Amino acid sequence: MIDVAKSTARQQIVRKKGLRLTSDLPMAILFLAPSLFLFSLFLFYPLFKTLYYSFHLTNAQGEASVFVGLENYQYLFTDSSFYQSIKSTVLFTLYTVPASIGIALFLALLANEKLRGIGVFRVIFSSTMGISVAASAVIWLFLFHPSVGVFNNVLGMLHLPALEWLTDQKLALLSVSIPTIWMNTGFSFLVILGGLQNIDTTLYESSSIDGASYFYKLRRVTLPMLSPTLFFVATVTLINAVQSFGQIDILTKGGPNDATNLIVYSIYKEAFVNYQFGTASAQAIILFIFIFIATILQFKFAERKVHYQ
């Protein structure tokens, strides 16, 4: 009898909870409606529209005209220019992501020291966040100028030959990577500095009592406790690097000989210069899949070394 009573009471509780959830559902949908509307308008609709266009040929007005199935994708995987854009994107990511995180970590470790006037340096190190990509690219365009640029003037003072920073096929991608590293460092520095300041100071005090050196504490305390922040910064920096566009457009226009024709800039040219919206949409879908897989792999393998408190 006692078991039957308990079972009946449990069923009544479950039924009441179900009724309560049902009665709260309209209110929940009402509160979520603005977000759902914005996501549908600016995220889901463009995504499905891009997928739709990737299976069609389009006219100059961007309207789907002929269904071609997977032919746009087949064309891309036989196009040497598309392979070059993938290669350039991968190299650009390898150039910029580790360097951005490494420099930001070094600066954050310096700025985390308790010294007089260190706040001024924190502002300086994070100042690149307040400069737009277009303004930054214009500044670096003057620095890279072959005749009046600062870099070639410095080389001239050292009696070294001037370099064609943005027009030499071997140097162009590396030259574009340098401003990108500079622009990304401010954000990474600020996030890493916040992570450093959230580490419990008693861990350092205990290590000091045990006679641990600075580098031992860095390796055994700082980096493990900072690993969630570094994982976040690595993921965001990777996605930003793959989606780079502004500095490419201003500095090199994807040249020379497609050396800096990253995949996002390739999508732009295909859609708004060549008016081939079908193949541009196919490239966008491939980029989406690439970023999706890269993010999953990061969470699958890199997160294993992340130490959560």
Side-chain angles (χ1 to χ4, degrees), residues 44-58 62-70 72-73 277-282 284-285:
F44 300 128
Y45 174 75
L47 176 62
F48 289 117
K49 196 71 172 181
T50 301
L51 183 63
Y52 172 78
Y53 277 144
S54 69
F55 297 124
H56 291 78
L57 293 178
T58 58
E63 299 172 348
S65 56
V66 180
F67 177 79
V68 294
L70 297 176
N72 287 329
Y73 295 93
F277 297 98
T279 51
S281 298
I285 294 298

Side-chain angles (χ1 to χ4, degrees), residues 12 34 61 67 78 106 117-118 134 153 186-188 190-191 203 206 222-223 226 238 273 279 296 298 300 305:
Q12 290 177 352
Q61 287 74 35
F67 177 79
T78 57
F106 175 74
I118 198 66
N153 286 336
F187 170 78
S188 301
L190 204 61
V191 175
L203 297 174
S206 300
T222 304
L223 293 181
L226 195 62
L238 173 65
V273 176
T279 51
I296 288 179
Q298 272 194 302
K300 184 175 179 61
K305 298 184 178 181

Side-chain angles (χ1 to χ4, degrees), residues 215-231:
F215 290 102
Y216 183 87
K217 288 187 284 187
L218 176 64
R219 186 164 57 94
R220 294 295 186 180
V221 178
T222 304
L223 293 181
M225 300 303 293
L226 195 62
S227 56
T229 303
L230 293 175
F231 178 71

Side-chain angles (χ1 to χ4, degrees), residues 96-112 122 124-130 179-197 226-241:
T96 57
V97 174
S100 298
I101 298 174
I103 294 173
L105 177 60
F106 175 74
L107 295 178
L109 289 172
L110 292 178
N112 195 45
R122 291 174 181 173
I124 294 173
F125 295 156
S126 60
S127 60
T128 57
M129 289 184 59
T180 304
I181 294 170
W182 180 76
M183 287 184 282
N184 291 341
T185 299
F187 170 78
S188 301
F189 161 79
L190 204 61
V191 175
I192 293 174
L193 180 62
L196 286 172
Q197 293 180 344
L226 195 62
S227 56
T229 303
L230 293 175
F231 178 71
F232 167 77
V233 170
T235 303
V236 173
T237 307
L238 173 65
I239 295 174
N240 288 339

Side-chain angles (χ1 to χ4, degrees), residues 126-144:
S126 60
S127 60
T128 57
M129 289 184 59
I131 306 176
S132 68
V133 174
S136 301
V138 170
I139 293 171
W140 283 90
L141 185 64
F142 282 103
L143 295 176
F144 285 129

